[in-house]
Amino acid sequence: MTNVTTKSDSFEPATDTAAHLFDNWFDPIEIGVRERVREFIEALIRGELDAVLARPRYGRAKNDDACPAGIVGHRHGSRTRSLTGSFGKTEITVPRARLQTSEGGTTEWHSKALRTYQRRTLTADALIAGAYLGGTNTRRVRRALAALFRGAVSKDIVSRVWRKIKSDWDFWSARSLAAEPIVRFILDGTVVRVRLDRKATSISLLVVIGVREDGQKVLLAVKNMGGESAEAWRSVLDDLIERGLRRPAFLIVDGAPGLERAIAAVWDGVSVQRCTVHKHRNLLAHAPERLHEEIGADYTDMIYAATPEDIATRRKAFVRKWRLKHRPVADSLEEAGDRLFTFTQLPPSQWRSARTTNAIERLHEEFKRRIKTQTVLPSAETAAMLFWALLASGQINMRKVDGWQTLATKPIDQPIDLAA
């Protein structure tokens, strides 16, 4: 018979390791701060009321020019409010007062620091929303933030915060675009995976990014339309036009046939640039892998040449070479036509930003990095909303485009002479 014995690997005495790991995690600084939060908030609100009434509690009103004109009122007790913030949940006493109106009546005074019916600070709501946007569900958010909020945040509160985000999303989706000085569009579709009917499903989101006169990129629309057909893209563009968006001067597209037809129906005659990155991928798809490096080198030399003349010369050389070596590659390049080189009509300082739809692809990569779509996206609408929310919450930032002085001086309602 074999005896099996176990022995602790720790060199510490058994009496030292018997205690639970977190039993002695007492932080006097954290405890001290939290205990003083209540009196700090109460002092802040009392100071606000003192300033409105121009006198402290039990004090007499001053009769000088420093007093706010026409403000007369009196205190009348206080009420208890519960407030949850990054400091946890605390009970505070809020003073009450009534102010006289110009009509001879009175009205209740409301603090500007503490909104009416406010139960959580904006920082607390941002933490809850950020945890949800990070790729988890309501119950996991509650457990993750339990220590910070001391159990004051339930899954119902998480749901209410998310519904507030949903209302902001609905407002953003219907906002007027008449005042947006957009001169350039970047349009592309991107695929995300969501859980529908308990199965992981791929859906397409149609994304439109605008570039303002000062070069700042801004998200204009992100919608799930069931695919990238001409009808789907037409619906997205019609919605932007109905909300006041003006005719752009320049479009950057991925070359999808449905998008091309929708643009022709809505903005016929607008200069269109085919994405050079998408075309590079198309060329590689038409050739065996052993030719990819050579194709990529020739294509890069052509697209990133310094002048329009150099680009035109290398374009002819590319077609001549690959028509003999591997004709499908040359045919694929010629399929794009002059739209692949529309960027050469712009000032060279803007070529880099006008060649690709990479802004949308980078946005999608950031989206995938932050969101675990298998667990938190129950619908296509949620996917589009999360795409927007990551930008609205500042978790993803869009950079300005360099070399934008040329377009910044042109009126938005007049076509830009791209040949100038």
Side-chain angles (χ1 to χ4, degrees):
M1 182 175 180
T2 303
N3 292 327
V4 179
T5 60
T6 59
K7 182 182 298 183
S8 174
D9 292 331
S10 175
F11 294 102
E12 298 293 334
T15 55
D16 294 340
T17 59
H20 293 291
L21 177 61
F22 297 104
D23 281 354
N24 296 321
W25 280 38
F26 175 79
D27 188 341
I29 296 178
E30 181 73 17
I31 296 299
V33 168
R34 291 189 181 228
E35 288 178 349
R36 288 168 174 77
V37 162
R38 179 176 61 84
E39 55 189 71
F40 172 79
I41 297 175
E42 291 178 351
L44 178 67
I45 299 175
R46 284 198 304 268
E48 184 182 358
L49 180 57
D50 291 346
V52 170
L53 297 178
R55 65 180 185 274
R57 191 178 184 184
Y58 306 121
R60 293 180 177 273
K62 299 178 180 179
N63 295 321
D64 54 29
D65 296 336
C67 292
I71 297 182
V72 180
H74 63 276
R75 295 175 173 83
H76 68 108
S78 60
R79 65 164 68 91
T80 301
R81 291 272 297 272
S82 174
L83 185 66
T84 300
S86 59
F87 43 79
K89 183 177 181 180
T90 186
E91 299 291 332
I92 59 175
T93 301
V94 180
R96 302 181 65 182
R98 295 200 67 83
L99 306 178
Q100 293 184 5
T101 63
S102 57
E103 292 80 10
T106 62
T107 182
E108 184 76 14
W109 171 78
H110 296 289
S111 170
K112 294 182 179 179
L114 183 66
R115 304 188 309 276
T116 305
Y117 304 117
Q118 182 180 357
R119 293 295 180 266
R120 295 175 306 278
T121 64
L122 295 178
T123 299
D125 283 349
L127 287 171
I128 295 170
Y132 193 91
L133 291 174
T136 185
N137 56 35
T138 55
R139 288 181 176 85
R140 290 176 179 173
V141 170
R142 174 177 57 86
R143 290 197 294 267
L145 299 178
L148 177 63
F149 295 122
R150 295 186 174 181
V153 174
S154 65
K155 64 181 182 63
D156 294 332
I157 290 179
V158 178
S159 298
R160 285 198 292 272
V161 172
W162 183 245
R163 284 196 295 272
K164 171 62 170 62
I165 296 176
K166 175 63 166 61
S167 66
D168 291 342
W169 155 259
D170 292 337
F171 175 81
W172 179 85
S173 299
R175 75 197 188 285
S176 172
L177 299 173
E180 281 285 2
I182 302 297
V183 294
R184 183 176 297 180
F185 279 176
I186 305 172
L187 306 99
D188 198 1
T190 187
V191 177
V192 296
R193 293 182 66 78
V194 301
R195 184 174 293 277
L196 297 176
D197 297 329
R198 299 183 179 181
K199 295 182 180 179
T201 305
S202 296
I203 62 171
S204 293
L205 299 179
L206 306 187
V207 183
V208 181
I209 292 178
V211 183
R212 293 172 176 159
E213 288 178 333
D214 63 353
Q216 178 64 56
K217 298 187 185 76
V218 56
L219 183 67
L220 296 177
V222 51
K223 291 189 177 184
N224 166 51
M225 301 298 295
E228 298 188 49
S229 63
E231 292 76 15
W233 273 112
R234 178 67 185 272
S235 177
V236 173
L237 298 181
D238 285 343
D239 176 68
L240 294 175
I241 294 173
E242 288 175 4
R243 289 194 278 139
L245 197 63
R246 305 177 187 181
R247 179 186 175 96
F250 197 86
L251 301 175
I252 308 172
V253 302
D254 64 348
L259 175 57
E260 296 275 1
R261 292 196 297 271
I263 290 173
V266 175
W267 291 315
D268 188 27
V270 173
S271 297
V272 177
Q273 167 67 41
R274 284 280 297 271
C275 175
T276 56
V277 172
H278 279 80
K279 177 48 64 178
H280 183 208
R281 295 170 185 166
N282 294 152
L283 297 180
L284 298 182
H286 285 82
E289 188 174 354
R290 63 182 180 82
L291 297 177
H292 285 187
E293 184 175 353
E294 186 178 359
I295 294 172
D298 291 347
Y299 183 79
T300 300
D301 289 342
M302 173 182 62
I303 292 296
Y304 292 94
T307 65
E309 293 75 18
D310 288 342
I311 292 177
T313 301
R314 298 184 188 192
R315 177 185 178 183
K316 294 178 181 178
F318 185 98
V319 173
R320 184 168 55 250
K321 171 183 175 179
W322 288 101
R323 183 175 290 148
L324 297 174
K325 191 166 187 176
H326 194 73
R327 189 178 183 88
V329 174
D331 292 342
S332 178
L333 183 73
E334 291 185 311
E335 174 272 331
D338 292 336
R339 284 191 168 188
L340 188 62
F341 305 94
T342 307
F343 70 89
T344 60
Q345 301 173 9
L346 298 173
S349 61
Q350 297 179 22
W351 284 10
R352 180 179 179 182
S353 62
R355 277 191 289 241
T356 73
T357 59
N358 273 356
I360 293 178
E361 295 197 10
R362 285 193 295 268
L363 182 62
H364 185 206
E365 289 301 319
E366 291 295 322
F367 175 82
K368 290 194 299 182
R369 188 167 67 86
R370 287 169 170 80
I371 297 297
K372 299 176 182 177
T373 56
Q374 301 92 326
T375 59
V376 301
L377 301 185
S379 67
E381 180 68 14
T382 304
M385 192 187 342
L386 287 175
F387 211 97
W388 157 82
L390 288 172
L391 283 163
S393 64
Q395 296 191 41
I396 299 177
N397 295 316
M398 286 189 178
R399 294 175 298 179
K400 281 191 175 184
V401 180
D402 296 330
W404 211 245
Q405 292 77 12
T406 303
L407 291 183
T409 61
K410 302 294 183 180
I412 187 65
D413 56 347
Q414 297 181 9
I416 295 174
D417 184 5
L418 297 177

